[in-house]
Amino acid sequence: MSNTALIVIDVQQSFLHRPFWCEDDVPEFQANISQLIEACVAKNVPVVRIFHISSGPFALESGFVKPLDWMPPQHDVVFHKHVHNAFSDTGLDYWLRTHNISKLLITGIRTEQCCETTARVGSDMGYEIDFITDATLTFAMTHPKTGRILSASDIKERTEVVLSGRFANLVSTAGAIKALSAV
């Protein structure tokens, strides 16, 4: 059994009902995360789904807390979170440790929010983190003081800068799949 798990964060229909949703980067994200899931399944690397639960389209009652329609169905376990990181009050840490998982491949929606926060917390908890930026998705944001619009690409670049060498290894989808092939 591998000591690695693929963490798929918040790839859920809830986001389709948010005003910032934009399809521009979805095709690349879809292709990359789907390839990673398929590669992990082929190598018996656990696939862990995380869903965010809160209000509005993120409430369980909304019916939108389920995978985006195109997501591959394979997964080993599902956890629901109520905060930005996937560890607090979810049981994820216990599940990972009981399955002897020490390395996490971080993917999902939003790059700078739940993915980055999970990477930081996971690193602080002692996990080796591979942050697969091209298998994360985010959206443009406006700086609250300057009004400057940061593109999704700008935000991903900023996330890589603050994670690299501190909290995570930066890995491409192709690099992660290549590393899985060596397992």
Side-chain angles (χ1 to χ4, degrees):
M1 179 168 198
S2 172
N3 71 331
T4 302
L6 176 64
I7 311 297
V8 179
I9 301 170
D10 299 348
V11 185
Q12 62 194 74
Q13 292 182 18
S14 307
F15 280 104
L16 299 174
H17 305 277
R18 302 299 293 176
F20 52 76
W21 178 261
C22 175
E23 294 280 335
D24 293 351
D25 297 331
V26 172
E28 178 185 8
F29 170 66
Q30 177 182 349
N32 290 339
I33 202 163
S34 296
Q35 289 172 32
L36 276 168
I37 291 170
E38 291 167 12
C40 286
V41 169
K43 289 294 185 175
N44 293 317
V45 170
V47 176
V48 179
R49 287 186 191 246
I50 309 293
F51 291 112
H52 188 84
I53 307 295
S54 62
S55 60
F58 290 88
L60 283 174
E61 305 80 44
S62 73
F64 302 128
V65 180
K66 57 187 175 185
L68 289 168
D69 287 339
W70 49 259
M71 278 293 286
Q74 300 89 346
H75 64 278
D76 294 271
V77 64
V78 173
F79 293 98
H80 291 164
K81 65 181 184 61
H82 298 89
V83 296
H84 294 107
N85 80 80
F87 289 100
S88 295
D89 301 323
T90 62
L92 175 61
D93 181 52
Y94 178 79
W95 188 90
L96 293 168
R97 294 192 191 280
T98 58
H99 287 83
N100 297 312
I101 305 292
S102 58
K103 181 176 182 176
L104 308 180
L105 310 177
I106 303 291
T107 66
I109 303 175
R110 294 183 64 170
T111 307
E112 79 291 350
Q113 193 165 311
C114 297
C115 297
E116 179 181 329
T117 306
T118 297
R120 287 172 178 259
V121 172
S123 174
D124 283 351
M125 294 175 76
Y127 292 97
E128 179 184 351
I129 306 292
D130 281 359
F131 196 86
I132 308 172
T133 310
D134 65 1
T136 68
L137 181 68
T138 198
F139 312 95
M141 296 174 72
T142 303
H143 192 286
K145 292 182 181 177
T146 67
R148 178 175 166 239
I149 296 174
L150 283 80
S151 69
S153 179
D154 292 337
I155 294 167
K156 285 183 171 191
E157 183 178 322
R158 177 235 156 251
T159 297
E160 288 182 335
V161 167
V162 299
L163 289 179
S164 181
R166 295 179 183 105
F167 300 99
N169 305 307
L170 303 179
V171 181
S172 66
T173 295
I177 291 171
K178 183 177 179 182
L180 287 171
S181 297
V183 174

